[in-house]
Amino acid sequence: TYVVSIDDDVEGISWKFKEGDSQDSLETLPPGGLVRLIYDARERMRETGAHLWGLNVSQNPRNMRTLGLSVSNGLVNGYLNGFITRPHCRELLRKFADATEDSEFAVRHYAKDGVVLRYRMYAGVTRPFCNRGGLQQKFEIAGEGITADARKEEERNGAKELHKAFPRLIGPPRPRKDKKTMEVVFRRHRKR
């Protein structure tokens, strides 16, 4: 079964339609673009043997490209992705921290298939850490909002577990200044 998952806080999809590092190199994906993307991704998964696709992990135009798909080991954000289910593949089931669920989902698929697809010209427009519910709710203290320290601690522990489970694909956690930046380190790896 082919599943496309979209979080309810995705506000849109940015498309890098021309070269450049500024916001004027981006446009909102035009009407019908998402449907075309979903069908294109399904066909490319069939061609490559991938079972997971996603968008560029950064909304910054400097980190986006006008063309191309990444097929290497790396993060696939959970806010918008597509995958082909394999209910009998126990090695794809999550085992670690909620705060690293997207990283774990991606690395498990890469370990199994040797490929995950990321569209380098598209990025989800979303505001992580700002909305209530979901993973944020787990780290809220009544009346105080989200506790970044608790989330970061769980993420760091999850990153350590991922490194232990997938040492060829995930490096040791790398502390970051910004608490919103993931500490999971995907190692460069291309099987195909």
Side-chain angles (χ1 to χ4, degrees), residues 38-57:
I38 289 168
Y39 281 105
D40 183 73
R42 178 65 183 101
E43 183 57 33
R44 290 176 189 261
M45 286 194 302
R46 188 179 349 268
E47 292 169 2
T48 63
H51 287 76
L52 174 64
W53 68 268
L55 307 179
N56 197 314
V57 296

Side-chain angles (χ1 to χ4, degrees), residues 34-183:
L34 179 59
V35 171
R36 284 191 295 278
L37 172 61
I38 289 168
Y39 281 105
D40 183 73
R42 178 65 183 101
E43 183 57 33
R44 290 176 189 261
M45 286 194 302
R46 188 179 349 268
E47 292 169 2
T48 63
H51 287 76
L52 174 64
W53 68 268
L55 307 179
N56 197 314
V57 296
S58 174
Q59 297 177 41
N60 185 331
R62 288 184 181 173
N63 301 321
M64 297 172 72
R65 304 290 175 262
T66 55
L67 296 170
L69 284 173
S70 170
V71 295
S72 62
N73 182 38
L75 177 63
V76 174
N77 281 329
Y79 60 71
L80 196 161
N81 63 50
F83 57 96
I84 299 170
T85 61
R86 295 179 278 182
H88 302 294
C89 288
R90 301 194 57 74
E91 65 267 35
L92 295 176
L93 298 177
R94 278 188 43 229
K95 296 179 180 151
F96 304 125
D98 290 339
T100 54
E101 65 184 337
D102 295 352
S103 298
E104 183 175 353
F105 194 62
V107 75
R108 286 186 179 283
H109 276 80
Y110 187 85
K112 173 86 173 149
D113 302 327
V115 60
V116 293
L117 304 178
R118 285 183 309 286
Y119 284 81
R120 297 165 50 148
M121 70 289 289
Y122 303 120
V125 178
T126 183
R127 291 179 292 151
F129 297 89
C130 297
N131 298 308
R132 296 219 177 269
L135 188 56
Q136 306 304 349
Q137 189 171 349
K138 178 177 180 177
F139 298 103
E140 286 181 9
I141 295 176
E144 295 183 32
I146 298 163
T147 62
D149 292 335
R151 180 175 174 149
K152 186 53 69 175
E153 183 179 338
E154 181 173 301
E155 177 195 312
R156 191 170 292 129
N157 290 333
K160 288 175 186 174
E161 292 296 323
L162 287 173
H163 172 59
K164 276 195 276 186
F166 301 96
R168 285 183 317 106
L169 301 176
I170 302 289
R174 184 180 316 141
R176 314 286 181 148
K177 290 179 185 174
D178 182 358
K179 290 189 177 171
K180 293 181 180 179
T181 304
M182 290 289 291
E183 294 187 6

